[in-house]
Amino acid sequence: MLFHDIGQCLDWLAERDRAQDFTVTRTRLDRMPGWAVDPVTGDLAHRSGRFFTVEGLAIGTDHRDVEAWTQPIIVQPEIGILGILTREIGGEPHYLMQAKVEPGNVNGVQLSPTVQATKSNYTRVHQGSPVPYLDHFRSPRRGRVVFDSLQSEQGSWFLSKRNRNMIIEVTEDVPVRPGFCWLTLAQLGELLLADNVVNMDARTVLSGLSFAAGAAPGPARTAELVSWFTEVKARYRLSRTRTPLAALPDWERGPHEIRHRDGRHFSVIGVDVTAGHREVKSWSQPMIAPHGRGVVAFLGRRVAGRLEVLVQARTEAGTHDVVEMAPTVHCIPANYPAGGRPRFLDEVLAAPASARLLDVVHSEEGGRFHHAENRYLVVETEPGADLDVPDDFCWMTPAELAGFVGHGSYVNVGARCLLACLNLAAGPVLDGARPRVAA
């Protein structure tokens, strides 16, 4: 299916949403069919031994305001596939996207990659239908690899989770199944400016186009940036110990949720799902439900007319390595009601509309997170603004940051999503043009 304008695509998404026979109902954590609560540890696990578990984690680090804490975390060591097919249609590259509903989405259907599947799903542990188009992303495959990299997921809620992000170019005609459509980069850029339309999995894969098309820095600049990142990684420590979920000292467990004793951060909840248009028609699962909307933001500045963004070397509970390159600000403001605000958060939130190069709300991964949203911002500072920038922050151009997307364990998911928006939706701002912001 092809669209002549974005209105047609949005109408199609609304129609797909109305056609979905999809319901999500909260349920008790100890009454989820297929799942069991370990009688000793309290951990949540699928009876098949696959998919994922929810366990406890004790964290120690000298690179956060709090040096030690405990929390529930999702443990999902298997590597899934997030893949987008591309082919030239009418002389212009198009990208095959899927209208997909996830149990955690705030609004039902969102645009997802051609393939968005965990290993348990595509190996059909659930005994469901085969994943469409999967053969284009598994070896031996037809087509040219445009982008293929192991990328991290949300380190606050996943323990060292990675997925394979892929873009594969094909030349032959590909039958378009119901629920799929071809979109141009320009159309994807417009849709990235709309709230909760392009899902997180699609955004992280599309950040690979930033890597593929970006003007890479020279060897000397690359060495400088790698040295900065390596210095931060070597300076700080991060220790994690998996611990029984039932033994977390700051967390309270009830029949319907596990929540922090002060009501902040997030809860672990259980849901029952029925889905008429999925590989599996019904299932139950635990989910992470954050308490509040997050802010994911870059501060930007102009140097000789060129945009630079302030990148943070950030440590999170589940970070695959000690740090990853992250946005300037990456937090849920509601978690800081009594002071101790993250650095640069207030500068981002106080910025006037004229300084916001990008301002849009996007959902996070709806397969594991329930109604998780972040406000994605790029805020340009006043010329000559005197910012106190710590050593674990670094100014770099979006193209320089994009150069690290081609490698795993460098750029975190929040920064990758911002790069996709900057490259596709707000690309003109990189050269000083008028910003395009969501209405």
Side-chain angles (χ1 to χ4, degrees), residues 22-39:
F22 198 92
T23 61
V24 180
T25 308
R26 291 279 296 269
T27 189
R28 291 173 58 111
L29 291 169
D30 58 355
R31 294 181 182 173
M32 296 184 295
W35 292 80
V37 178
D38 188 285

Side-chain angles (χ1 to χ4, degrees), residues 131-308:
V131 176
Y133 304 107
L134 179 65
D135 57 327
H136 288 85
F137 298 93
R138 300 186 69 187
S139 184
R141 70 180 69 87
R142 302 182 305 277
R144 181 180 72 89
V145 175
V146 177
F147 175 61
D148 188 356
S149 180
L150 289 180
Q151 298 291 351
S152 60
E153 299 289 303
Q154 286 85 351
S156 294
W157 300 326
F158 277 118
L159 179 60
S160 299
K161 176 73 176 82
R162 294 183 297 170
N163 277 322
R164 191 174 182 182
N165 287 212
M166 306 177 72
I167 301 174
I168 302 295
E169 182 183 27
V170 294
T171 55
E172 75 272 15
D173 185 39
V174 176
V176 179
R177 291 169 169 260
F180 290 79
C181 68
W182 291 104
L183 293 169
T184 66
L185 285 183
Q187 291 171 332
L188 285 167
E190 288 192 57
L191 292 166
L192 281 165
L193 288 173
D195 291 350
N196 293 317
V197 172
V198 182
N199 80 357
M200 185 223 79
D201 299 289
R203 297 193 306 272
T204 179
V205 177
L206 291 171
S207 74
L209 292 172
S210 304
F211 153 73
R221 177 60 175 163
T222 298
E224 179 185 355
L225 294 174
V226 169
S227 180
W228 163 76
F229 187 65
T230 304
E231 170 68 25
V232 177
K233 188 185 298 186
R235 183 187 310 157
Y236 297 104
R237 65 174 178 83
L238 173 63
S239 64
R240 282 85 59 93
T241 304
R242 287 159 73 169
T243 189
L245 188 60
L248 298 182
D250 297 321
W251 294 78
E252 301 172 343
R253 188 174 194 134
H256 290 90
E257 67 178 343
I258 302 168
R259 61 184 290 131
H260 196 269
R261 64 184 180 185
D262 63 11
R264 293 187 291 161
H265 307 298
F266 62 89
S267 294
V268 179
I269 66 172
V271 297
D272 292 327
V273 185
T274 59
H277 296 83
R278 291 286 293 265
E279 293 90 355
V280 177
K281 304 307 179 187
S282 65
W283 71 92
S284 299
Q285 67 173 90
M287 302 194 82
I288 297 286
H291 294 179
R293 176 182 287 176
V295 171
V296 178
F298 278 134
L299 282 181
R301 70 178 184 183
R302 297 284 173 180
V303 177
R306 184 179 63 170
L307 180 69
E308 293 183 345

Side-chain angles (χ1 to χ4, degrees), residues 63-122:
H63 195 217
R64 293 291 291 262
D65 292 335
V66 177
E67 292 187 359
W69 72 93
T70 61
Q71 67 169 83
I73 201 155
I74 296 173
V75 179
Q76 187 174 1
E78 63 183 34
I79 293 173
I81 293 176
L82 307 177
I84 296 178
L85 283 181
T86 179
R87 70 181 293 256
E88 195 171 283
I89 301 174
E92 185 174 9
H94 284 65
Y95 298 81
L96 188 62
M97 309 300 291
Q98 178 182 179
K100 189 178 182 71
V101 63
E102 294 284 6
N105 287 359
V106 297
N107 61 336
V109 167
Q110 295 185 13
L111 280 173
S112 78
T114 316
V115 167
Q116 176 184 316
T118 67
K119 187 173 183 179
S120 290
N121 284 341
Y122 70 70

Side-chain angles (χ1 to χ4, degrees), residues 234-401:
R235 183 187 310 157
Y236 297 104
R237 65 174 178 83
L238 173 63
S239 64
R240 282 85 59 93
T241 304
R242 287 159 73 169
T243 189
L245 188 60
L248 298 182
D250 297 321
W251 294 78
E252 301 172 343
R253 188 174 194 134
H256 290 90
E257 67 178 343
I258 302 168
R259 61 184 290 131
H260 196 269
R261 64 184 180 185
D262 63 11
R264 293 187 291 161
H265 307 298
F266 62 89
S267 294
V268 179
I269 66 172
V271 297
D272 292 327
V273 185
T274 59
H277 296 83
R278 291 286 293 265
E279 293 90 355
V280 177
K281 304 307 179 187
S282 65
W283 71 92
S284 299
Q285 67 173 90
M287 302 194 82
I288 297 286
H291 294 179
R293 176 182 287 176
V295 171
V296 178
F298 278 134
L299 282 181
R301 70 178 184 183
R302 297 284 173 180
V303 177
R306 184 179 63 170
L307 180 69
E308 293 183 345
V309 294
L310 187 57
V311 175
Q312 174 187 183
R314 179 175 173 83
T315 298
E316 295 180 308
T319 303
H320 188 67
D321 210 332
V322 178
V323 294
E324 286 186 306
M325 296 182 188
T328 318
V329 174
H330 195 163
C331 70
I332 297 177
N335 287 336
Y336 306 90
R341 305 267 280 181
R343 190 182 295 268
F344 302 119
L345 173 61
D346 292 329
E347 288 88 339
V348 165
L349 295 181
S354 59
R356 297 197 297 263
L357 306 181
L358 179 80
D359 188 356
V360 63
V361 174
H362 284 307
S363 297
E364 298 312 302
E365 212 285 304
R368 298 290 177 266
F369 312 135
H370 188 263
H371 293 186
E373 293 180 298
N374 282 315
R375 184 182 176 194
Y376 283 82
L377 292 140
V378 179
V379 172
E380 188 170 354
T381 59
E382 291 290 332
D386 185 19
L387 293 177
D388 181 16
V389 177
D391 291 342
D392 51 356
F393 287 73
C394 179
W395 290 103
M396 61 181 77
T397 67
E400 289 170 342
L401 180 60

